Amino acid sequence: MSTEIIVAVLSLVGTFLGTFSGIKLMSYRIEQLEKKVEKHNNLVERTYHLEERAELVDEKIKVANHRIDDLERRE
């Protein structure tokens, strides 16, 4: 076997190893990024529910204050 063929085969093997390790690394990094995005989305969803609850509590406070005002006027 000539030296050029051996060098070409070794280069091909090195290229395949580099490519597959790069693909594996990118896959891992994408997985980690997906986990971070999922955490962020859960946080956004929880914040949305908290804002809904806050609006409901504000409305209840307004109603309670209105009732108190009505009771004070009756006296």
Side-chain angles (χ1 to χ4, degrees), residues 9 13 33 49-50 54 57 65:
V9 169
V13 169
L33 184 59
H49 289 300
L50 287 173
V57 169
N65 285 335

Side-chain angles (χ1 to χ4, degrees), residues 32-68:
Q32 298 304 311
L33 184 59
E34 286 173 346
K35 288 179 184 178
K36 286 182 180 181
V37 168
E38 185 177 334
K39 285 181 183 179
H40 172 73
N41 288 343
N42 287 338
L43 176 66
V44 169
E45 186 176 331
R46 288 193 333 243
T47 302
Y48 176 74
H49 289 300
L50 287 173
E51 288 173 350
E52 284 182 336
R53 282 184 178 174
E55 288 177 16
L56 180 62
V57 169
D58 287 344
E59 187 62 32
K60 286 182 178 182
I61 290 172
K62 286 179 186 177
V63 169
N65 285 335
H66 185 66
R67 287 181 181 173
I68 290 170

Side-chain angles (χ1 to χ4, degrees), residues 13-29:
V13 169
T15 302
F16 280 138
L17 290 176
T19 301
F20 288 124
S21 65
I23 290 172
K24 189 172 183 177
L25 177 63
M26 286 298 280
S27 176
Y28 172 76
R29 294 186 71 182

Side-chain angles (χ1 to χ4, degrees), residues 2-18:
S2 72
T3 309
E4 292 85 14
I5 294 176
I6 293 172
V7 169
V9 169
L10 289 176
S11 297
L12 182 65
V13 169
T15 302
F16 280 138
L17 290 176

